[in-house]
Amino acid sequence: MWEVWKSTAGTLQHFDKQLSAMEEAQDKMFACRKMVPHMGTFIGVYLPCMQNILGVILFLRLTWIVGTAGILGSFAIVSMCCICTLLTAISMSAIATNGVVPAGGSYYMISRSLGPEFGGAVGLCLYLGTTFAGSLYILGTIEILLLYIIPPEKVVKETTANDMRIYGTCCLLLMALVVFVGVKYVNKLALVFLSCVVLSIMATYAGAIKTAIKPSNFSVCLLGNRTLKNEMFEKCAKTDVELWNLFCDSPYLNATCDEYFALNNLTEIQATPGVLGEVINDNLWGNYGPDNMVIERKNLSSVPAEANNDKLKNYVFNDWATYFTLLVGIYFPSVTGIMAGSNRSGDLRDAQRSIPIGTILAILTTSFIYISFVVLFGACIEGVVLRDKFGFSVKTKPVISILAWPSPWVIVIGSFFSCCGAGLQSLTGAPRLLQAIARDGIIPFLQVFGHGKANGEPTWALLLTVGICEIGILIASLDHVAPILSMFFLMCYLFVNLACAVQTLLCTPNWRPRFKFYHWTLSFLGMSLCLSLMFISSWIYALVVIVIAGCIYKYIEYKGAVKEWGDGIRGLSLNAARYALIRLEEAPLHTKNWRPQLLVLCKLNSDLEVTHPRLLSFATQLKAGKGLTIVCSVLEGTYMTRGDEAKKGEQNLKAAMAAEKTKGFSHVVVSSSLRDGFSILIQSAGLGGMKHNAVLMAWPTGWKQDRDSSVRRNFIETVRETTSAHQALLVAKNIDHFPANQERLKEGTVDVWWIVHDGGLLMLLPFLLSQHKVWRKCKMRIFTVAQMDDNSIQMKKDLQMFLYQLRLNAVVEVVEMHDSDISAFTYEKTLVMEQRSQMLKQMQLSRTEREREIQSITDVSRASIKRKKCSSADAPPLYSQCIPEDEAQLIHDRNTASHSAANDKAAGATSDRVHMTWTKDKLQNERNKHKENMAVKDMFNMKPEWENLNHSNVRRMHTAVKLNEVVVKKSCNSELVLLNMPGPPKNKKGDDNYMEFLEVLMEGLDRVLLVRGGGREVITIYS
C-alpha cells in the first residue's frame, strides 16, 4: 500500500512540474504577444496603403503629367495603372484568404504559391522596390523642403543634386532611428501624417470649387508666348526694374536688350482662370517636347528672334525630353502602395480579413482621387503652368498649391508630411520583408538578416535597408528613381497574378480562398497588363529587372535550401507530366525520335553503397543529361524485414547520382531473389510512354572465381529478359576504368566492330558519347568483317556512303577474315552489298523501293523467323536445315511512318526467330534446293550453333580467339571498343560456354561495351 501511495505521489509531483512549465511557457508566449502590436484593418492595412499611394507623385508630379500628356493621356495613364493594381489586389486577396499569412505578406503568398525559387526571386525584387520607394519618398521630402519651405540657401554651392544628397542622408538617418525605436511609434505618427494628407486633398477640392466661382490671385507672366520665371520680379511689365535687368545690360532706356525681349510684349494671364471650356480644350491633348525646350502658350503670337543662350535661364523650360512612356514610368510609383498592408501581415490581428478589405478599399479610394484630380487640373489650371514641373512661373510653389484653399501652405505642409509618412512606412515594411525571406533559409547568405531584437524587430535587416536606400538617395533625382522601383513592383505584381491564375486553373484541393470575387481570366489580364507596363515604361529597365530576378532564381535553385511548400509550380509540373505521358502513348515512337532511355542496374555492397559509381558516370556521358535514366538495385529478402534498408539504399543511390551528375530517378526493390527483382524492374520500370528501352549493366568480373553459379545465371537470365522484352542491352567491361565526368580525353578513338546489324545502335552510341565533353575529342572508327572472296573495296565505299547519309563522321575499315575463322562467331553476321543486291532482285522490288532500301546499304535489320524443330539425316553436323512456316521480314523504311508497323510485327515473333549469318556458298546451296519457290525466308533458316554444344565448342572458341586477335591488333590502344553481343543459347546447358566465349572475345581489351540491339531501327537517313 505504501509503495502504491509513493508511486502516486511521485506521479502527481511530476505532473505538477509539467503543469508549471506549461504555465511559464504560456506566460512567455502571451508576454511576447503583448510586445508585438496586433492591428486591425483600418490602422494596419488601409492607412499604410493610403499613405503610400497618396504620396510624392500626387503633390509633386501629377500636375506636370496632366500638362504634358493632356487630360486624355493622363486619364489613360491613371486608368491603366489603377486597373493593374486593382486586378493585382483581387488576386492577392484570393491568395491571402487561402490560409494563414504570417510575417512576410506578399512574399509569403508568392513563395507558397509558386515555390521557393519564384518566391525568393520575386520577394527580393519586392524588397528592393520597397527600399527604393523609401528613397523616392525621402527625395520628395527634401525637394519640398529645399524648394518650397526653407530659403534657397545651399549647403553645397555647386549643384542642387548635392543638396539633395546631404539633406536626404540626414533625413534617412532620422527616419531609420524612428523605425528602430519601434513600429508602434510609426503607427501613431501615421495618423498625424494621414490627417495632413486628407486636409491637403480636401483643400484642393475646396480650391477647385472656389476657382469655379472666383479665380485665384496667382498670375503668370509671358514674354511673347514664352513663360517667364517670376520669382525674380514682382510686376509683369517692362517698366519693372528687376525684369528689365534680366534682359538688358543696364537700367537705362538706351541699354542694349535681348532681341526677343525687345520685339515682343509682356502678357499677364491668370494661372487658375476657373472652369473654362477654353482651358479644357488647351489641356485636352498632350504637349510633348525635347530637352531644354521653352514652355510656350499655343494661342499667343510672338515675333521670332535669334536665341540668346545666356537669357534662356529666365524662361521656364523642360528639364527632360518628354514622351508618353516616360510619364507612365514616373507615375506608376504612386499606385505601388497596395503592398504596404500585406508587408506587415505579421502585425495584423486577422490578416486574411484585413488584407483584402483594406487593400481594395484603399485602391478604390485613391483611384477616385487621382482620376478626379486629373479632370480638375485639366479644367482649372493653365497649360503653361501645368507643364511647369517645379512651379517657377508661380513664385516657386507647387503647382497644385495654387488651386488650394484657403492657403497654398496647406498643400506644402500636407505634402511634406505625406512624403515623410510614406518613407517611414517603406522603412518599416522593407526590413520585415527581408527578415521573412532570411528566416525561410532559401538564400544562405541572407540568413544573418533573420535575427533582430528580443521583440522581433528586424535590426540587421533595417541596417541593410538603410544602406540600399542611401544608394537611391545618391541618385538625387526623383524622376530617375521612380522608373526603377516601378519595374520591381511590376515584377512582383505580375507574379502575384500568375500565382492566383495557376492555383485557380490547377484546381488543387488546398485552393479554398474565402475571398470569392476572383477569376483566372482577371489574373491573366492583370499579369498581361503588368508585363505591358514594364516594357512601356522602359524596355531596358524591364530586361535588367528580369535578368536580376532570373539570376536570383537560378542562385536559389543552385544554392538554396530544399523546401517543399506544396507550391503551384509543382502542381503545374504534375499536370504537365500527366498530359505528356498520355500523349506519348497515343502514337508509337518513330525512329527519328528514338533515344536511349536507360535502366541502369546497380549493385549495392553490404553497406548499401553503390559498388560501381562509374556506371552512373557512363550513363551521364551517354545521355548528356537528357532523356530518361532510371537507376535501380535489388535487395534479397522481404520488404517487411528490409524495407528500411531499401529506403536507405535509395537515398544512397540518389547521393551517388548527385555526385556523378546523373539526372534521373532511383529505385530499390526487395525481392526473394536477384533474378526475380531484375526481371520485375525490366518489366515494370518507368511509367506510360516514359519507359526504358535499353538496359545498362556491368560485366560480372568474378563469375569464374565465384563457386556459386548464381552470378553467371543472373547475368544470362538478365540478357534473356531484355531480349524477350525487345530492349537493347549495354554491358560494360572494366567499368571502374571508364573515365569520370571530370576527365577530358584529349585524343584517341572509339572503335565500333560492326559484325551484326543491330538497327544502328552500334553507330548511334559513339555519336551520343561524342556529345559529352569527356569524349568530345575522340574520333570514331567503324570496323566491319568481310570474307576473303568478298569485294572489300566496294563494301567500304558503300559503308562510307551509308555513314555520309546518316550524317556521321567516322573512319571506315574493312577487315578480311577466313570463313572458317568467323562462321561460328554467332548465327548473325554482316550481309555484304553484293548479297543485298541479289536479294533485292529476287524480291523483284521496284527502283523506288530499292532506293528506299538505301537506309541500310551494308546491313539491314532482319526480323527473326520461326524455327521448326525438324531433323534430317543429310543435314551437316553443325546446322540442321528446315523450311519455316513464317516468312522472313526485311525491316526497311518504305516510308518513315512504316517503322512502327513493321516493328510491331517483328516484335511479336522475336523470341522464336533468329538472325542468320550468310555467305555466298550457303546462299547458292539454298537456291539449288528451292529453285521453284525461292523466297527470302529460305535464306534465314539456320539452326543456332550454340545448341549443338558437343560438336561446336572447339570451333566456337577458335572463332572467339581469331576475332579477338584481330580486335586487339586494331583497337588495343582505343579509348573504348564497342562489340556486337551475341544472344545467349536457348539451351541453358550452354551458359558456361557462352560466358567463356564472351570472356575470350574481350580478352586483352581495357574498356569494352557489349551492345545488343532491341530488334528495331534506331537511326535513319531521313530528316
Side-chain angles (χ1 to χ4, degrees):
M1 188 70 180
W2 167 254
E3 294 295 333
V4 175
W5 181 86
K6 186 177 180 181
S7 175
T8 306
T11 305
L12 291 174
Q13 186 177 8
H14 179 67
F15 176 75
D16 186 57
K17 289 181 179 179
Q18 286 187 333
L19 188 61
S20 301
M22 291 176 60
E23 289 176 351
E24 290 178 5
Q26 287 181 349
D27 291 339
K28 290 181 180 179
M29 183 175 64
F30 286 122
C32 291
R33 287 183 177 178
K34 290 179 181 178
M35 294 172 69
V36 180
H38 287 268
M39 298 170 289
T41 303
F42 186 74
I43 295 179
V45 180
Y46 185 77
L47 292 186
C49 290
M50 291 286 289
Q51 280 184 335
N52 280 269
I53 296 174
L54 299 175
V56 59
I57 302 298
L58 173 65
F59 297 110
L60 297 183
R61 293 293 182 268
L62 187 59
T63 54
W64 174 66
I65 291 173
V66 174
T68 305
I71 297 175
L72 296 179
S74 302
F75 185 82
I77 293 172
V78 173
S79 298
M80 281 193 303
C81 296
C82 291
I83 291 172
C84 176
T85 54
L86 181 61
L87 294 175
T88 304
I90 291 173
S91 299
M92 184 178 68
S93 300
I95 300 173
T97 57
N98 190 52
V100 178
V101 182
S106 50
Y107 156 72
Y108 183 89
M109 292 185 286
I110 295 172
S111 62
R112 270 56 178 182
S113 298
L114 295 179
E117 292 87 3
F118 277 108
V122 179
L124 279 182
C125 285
L126 178 60
Y127 165 73
L128 292 174
T130 307
T131 304
F132 276 105
S135 302
L136 180 78
Y137 299 130
I138 291 174
L139 288 173
T141 303
I142 302 306
E143 184 176 308
I144 295 170
L145 181 68
L146 295 182
L147 285 178
Y148 308 126
I149 296 179
I150 66 174
E153 294 177 3
K154 308 287 189 295
V155 176
V156 180
K157 297 296 183 181
E158 285 78 9
T159 60
T160 306
N162 286 331
D163 299 347
M164 299 287 287
R165 294 184 181 108
I166 293 173
Y167 282 95
T169 302
C170 296
C171 183
L172 173 62
L173 294 176
L174 182 61
M175 288 185 177
L177 181 62
V178 173
V179 174
F180 179 77
V181 171
V183 68
K184 59 182 178 180
Y185 298 105
V186 176
N187 295 328
K188 291 178 180 179
L189 291 173
L191 294 175
V192 178
F193 294 149
L194 189 61
S195 300
C196 296
V197 175
V198 173
L199 289 175
S200 300
I201 293 172
M202 293 177 63
T204 304
Y205 282 120
I209 296 172
K210 176 184 173 296
T211 301
I213 300 172
K214 180 184 177 181
S216 66
N217 297 325
F218 287 96
S219 60
V220 182
C221 186
L222 303 175
L223 177 61
N225 61 355
R226 297 179 180 179
T227 308
L228 293 174
K229 295 179 180 179
N230 64 1
E231 59 182 355
M232 303 300 295
F233 58 90
E234 294 295 331
K235 188 177 180 182
C236 185
K238 291 185 178 182
T239 56
D240 185 88
V241 177
E242 294 175 344
L243 180 58
W244 179 273
N245 290 334
L246 291 175
F247 291 94
C248 300
D249 57 2
S250 70
Y252 304 106
L253 294 176
N254 59 353
T256 302
C257 296
D258 179 66
E259 183 180 359
Y260 189 86
F261 178 76
L263 294 176
N264 290 277
N265 296 323
L266 291 168
T267 306
E268 189 174 16
I269 61 174
Q270 292 290 329
T272 54
V275 182
L276 299 177
E278 182 182 356
V279 176
I280 296 175
N281 187 52
D282 290 342
N283 294 332
L284 193 62
W285 305 102
N287 292 279
Y288 303 103
D291 187 15
N292 294 323
M293 184 189 77
V294 177
I295 297 176
E296 300 176 346
R297 200 168 192 265
K298 293 180 180 179
N299 55 2
L300 279 181
S301 60
S302 64
V303 180
E306 186 177 351
N308 186 346
N309 294 331
D310 293 336
K311 304 302 180 183
L312 286 178
K313 63 182 180 180
N314 300 321
Y315 301 105
V316 180
F317 54 86
N318 289 337
D319 63 335
W320 275 43
T322 54
Y323 41 90
F324 180 80
T325 56
L326 170 72
L327 301 181
V328 173
I330 292 176
Y331 173 78
F332 190 82
S334 65
V335 297
T336 56
I338 65 171
M339 294 291 186
S342 63
N343 288 345
R344 301 166 61 192
S345 55
D347 300 322
L348 299 176
R349 185 183 304 112
D350 185 1
Q352 292 190 44
R353 180 178 179 275
S354 298
I355 290 176
I357 296 175
T359 304
I360 292 177
L361 283 179
I363 290 174
L364 294 177
T365 304
T366 53
S367 298
F368 172 78
I369 292 172
Y370 276 115
I371 292 174
S372 62
F373 272 26
V374 166
V375 176
L376 289 178
F377 294 159
C380 299
I381 303 176
E382 275 289 343
V384 291
V385 180
L386 288 174
R387 296 199 297 277
D388 182 6
K389 182 187 292 186
F390 302 105
F392 292 136
S393 62
V394 286
K395 302 294 183 182
T396 313
K397 287 183 173 55
V399 175
I400 188 176
S401 67
I402 65 174
L403 196 63
W405 181 87
S407 171
W409 283 101
V410 176
I411 296 295
V412 174
I413 301 301
S415 60
F416 179 79
F417 284 113
S418 171
C419 293
C420 288
L424 285 171
Q425 294 292 342
S426 297
L427 292 178
T428 302
R432 281 166 170 72
L433 180 58
L434 181 62
Q435 186 184 46
I437 298 173
R439 286 180 173 175
D440 269 342
I442 60 175
I443 305 178
F445 69 86
L446 289 181
Q447 290 184 1
V448 65
F449 300 106
H451 306 293
K453 295 192 293 186
N455 61 352
E457 291 295 319
T459 307
W460 293 106
L462 177 61
L463 291 177
L464 180 63
T465 301
V466 171
I468 298 175
C469 194
E470 177 64 19
I471 296 174
I473 290 174
L474 293 178
I475 296 175
S477 173
L478 186 149
D479 300 316
H480 284 87
V481 175
I484 297 175
L485 66 98
S486 294
M487 295 301 145
F488 286 119
F489 277 109
L490 281 168
M491 176 67 76
C492 175
Y493 296 171
L494 185 150
F495 280 99
V496 169
N497 286 292
L498 176 63
C500 181
V502 167
Q503 296 280 28
T504 305
L505 289 176
L506 290 178
C507 299
T508 53
N510 190 54
W511 180 246
R512 303 184 301 275
R514 288 195 179 95
F515 183 81
K516 302 299 182 183
F517 304 100
Y518 70 94
H519 196 267
W520 66 267
T521 54
L522 297 178
S523 299
F524 267 111
L525 180 61
M527 184 176 64
S528 304
L529 193 54
C530 288
L531 189 62
S532 302
L533 287 174
M534 285 179 67
F535 284 92
I536 287 173
S537 301
S538 174
W539 65 271
I540 297 178
Y541 282 173
L543 292 178
V544 169
V545 171
I546 291 173
V547 169
I548 291 174
C551 292
I552 298 171
Y553 178 94
K554 296 305 292 183
Y555 175 81
I556 297 173
E557 187 179 52
Y558 179 71
K559 279 279 191 181
V562 178
K563 298 286 183 180
E564 178 50 59
W565 290 329
D567 52 87
I569 292 297
R570 186 172 181 84
L572 186 63
S573 300
L574 290 173
N575 275 19
R578 179 183 60 83
Y579 175 78
L581 288 172
I582 292 174
R583 286 293 304 273
L584 283 174
E585 283 197 316
E586 290 180 358
L589 186 68
H590 193 276
T591 302
K592 291 186 291 186
N593 295 324
W594 192 94
R595 62 194 65 194
Q597 314 283 15
L598 292 180
L599 173 67
V600 184
L601 300 180
C602 286
K603 183 180 179 181
L604 300 179
N605 58 22
S606 57
D607 297 327
L608 300 179
E609 300 289 342
V610 178
T611 306
H612 302 295
R614 290 293 173 87
L615 197 64
L616 301 179
S617 302
F618 184 69
T620 302
Q621 296 159 18
L622 189 62
K623 303 292 294 179
K626 299 177 177 63
L628 175 68
T629 302
I630 307 174
V631 182
C632 296
S633 187
V634 178
L635 297 180
E636 273 191 294
T638 62
Y639 190 77
M640 297 295 292
T641 58
R642 304 197 68 181
D644 293 337
E645 293 182 38
K647 293 177 181 178
K648 182 182 177 182
E650 192 164 329
Q651 292 298 322
N652 292 341
L653 278 181
K654 289 181 180 179
M657 292 171 66
E660 301 297 335
K661 298 181 180 179
T662 304
K663 297 180 181 179
F665 308 96
S666 61
H667 190 47
V668 176
V669 298
V670 182
S671 179
S672 56
S673 67
L674 293 178
R675 181 191 179 282
D676 292 342
F678 287 133
S679 177
I680 292 170
L681 289 173
I682 291 171
Q683 294 178 57
S684 61
L687 179 64
M690 288 296 288
K691 292 182 71 68
H692 62 280
N693 54 27
V695 177
L696 174 62
M697 60 189 300
W699 172 258
T701 308
W703 69 274
K704 287 184 178 180
Q705 291 77 20
D706 196 347
R707 294 181 180 179
D708 185 7
S709 62
S710 60
V711 175
R712 182 201 66 208
R713 285 189 284 104
N714 288 337
F715 175 78
I716 296 180
E717 289 303 322
T718 302
V719 176
R720 289 191 174 104
E721 292 281 353
T722 56
T723 304
S724 299
H726 314 303
Q727 295 172 4
L729 178 63
L730 311 178
V731 180
K733 178 195 175 186
N734 295 333
I735 186 63
D736 295 328
H737 297 176
F738 276 56
N741 290 327
Q742 295 77 22
E743 297 182 35
R744 302 290 181 271
L745 300 178
K746 296 184 179 179
E747 57 184 8
T749 60
V750 175
D751 291 352
V752 177
W753 285 84
W754 194 29
I755 301 171
V756 178
H757 182 69
D758 57 355
L761 184 60
L762 265 174
M763 292 182 288
L764 184 62
L765 292 178
F767 169 76
L768 295 176
L769 284 175
S770 67
Q771 304 303 301
H772 196 274
K773 50 192 174 184
V774 172
W775 304 89
R776 190 164 293 162
K777 293 186 179 180
C778 291
K779 295 181 180 179
M780 177 179 170
R781 295 192 301 180
I782 294 184
F783 296 88
T784 187
V785 177
Q787 298 174 9
M788 289 299 183
D789 55 349
D790 289 335
N791 188 347
S792 300
I793 297 176
Q794 182 62 37
M795 190 175 184
K796 182 176 181 179
K797 289 181 180 180
D798 293 337
L799 186 53
Q800 287 174 337
M801 176 59 67
F802 185 44
L803 292 176
Y804 174 79
Q805 294 185 347
L806 288 175
R807 291 89 64 198
L808 296 175
N809 296 321
V811 177
V812 177
E813 292 191 30
V814 178
V815 179
E816 295 184 344
M817 297 183 66
H818 291 285
D819 180 38
S820 60
D821 291 339
I822 58 174
S823 61
F825 166 67
T826 180
Y827 43 84
E828 304 165 299
K829 199 171 58 181
T830 306
L831 193 67
V832 296
M833 186 61 191
E834 294 177 4
Q835 297 162 350
R836 159 53 63 87
S837 300
Q838 295 171 359
M839 291 170 61
L840 294 180
K841 290 176 183 178
Q842 290 205 330
M843 290 192 301
Q844 297 180 346
L845 298 179
S846 66
R847 180 179 178 182
T848 303
E849 291 170 322
R850 287 200 300 270
E851 289 175 353
R852 289 175 180 169
E853 283 294 322
I854 201 170
Q855 167 66 23
S856 46
I857 291 176
T858 312
D859 296 278
V860 297
S861 175
R862 297 175 297 277
S864 301
I865 61 171
K866 186 174 181 181
R867 294 181 289 107
K868 294 179 64 179
K869 298 288 183 178
C870 60
S871 59
S872 174
D874 299 330
L878 295 180
Y879 301 94
S880 297
Q881 306 287 344
C882 62
I883 303 300
E885 293 180 354
D886 298 346
E887 293 186 0
Q889 291 180 340
L890 248 170
I891 303 179
H892 56 277
D893 196 355
R894 293 189 177 275
N895 213 336
T896 53
S898 67
H899 282 289
S900 59
N903 208 34
D904 293 340
K905 187 175 179 181
T910 302
S911 59
D912 297 325
R913 298 179 179 182
V914 294
H915 295 290
M916 305 303 295
T917 301
W918 290 102
T919 63
K920 290 182 178 180
D921 294 338
K922 294 173 185 176
L923 182 63
Q924 190 63 38
N925 292 335
E926 289 297 323
R927 281 210 195 112
N928 294 335
K929 287 183 179 181
H930 308 287
K931 290 182 179 178
E932 297 180 358
N933 298 314
M934 184 62 192
V936 181
K937 64 180 181 178
D938 301 326
M939 303 180 200
F940 291 88
N941 185 33
M942 291 184 101
K943 190 172 182 180
E945 187 180 9
W946 301 109
E947 296 186 8
N948 206 338
L949 297 173
N950 295 331
H951 299 86
S952 63
N953 286 345
V954 176
R955 182 75 172 272
R956 186 173 58 256
M957 294 311 298
H958 171 75
T959 299
V961 170
K962 289 294 183 180
L963 192 56
N964 175 258
E965 287 177 358
V966 177
V967 174
V968 171
K969 179 180 178 181
K970 295 284 186 178
S971 303
C972 61
N973 295 322
S974 298
E975 297 294 345
L976 180 64
V977 178
L978 282 78
L979 288 170
N980 281 119
M981 182 179 184
K986 290 200 171 182
N987 189 339
K988 294 185 179 181
K989 294 180 180 179
D991 287 358
D992 286 338
N993 298 286
Y994 176 68
M995 295 293 288
E996 286 285 357
F997 179 88
L998 295 179
E999 194 74 58
V1000 171
L1001 186 63
M1002 296 185 293
E1003 187 177 356
L1005 299 173
D1006 185 22
R1007 299 172 186 155
V1008 181
L1009 185 67
L1010 293 176
V1011 180
R1012 181 162 181 81
R1016 66 157 296 160
E1017 293 289 330
V1018 300
I1019 193 168
T1020 177
I1021 66 173
Y1022 299 104
S1023 61

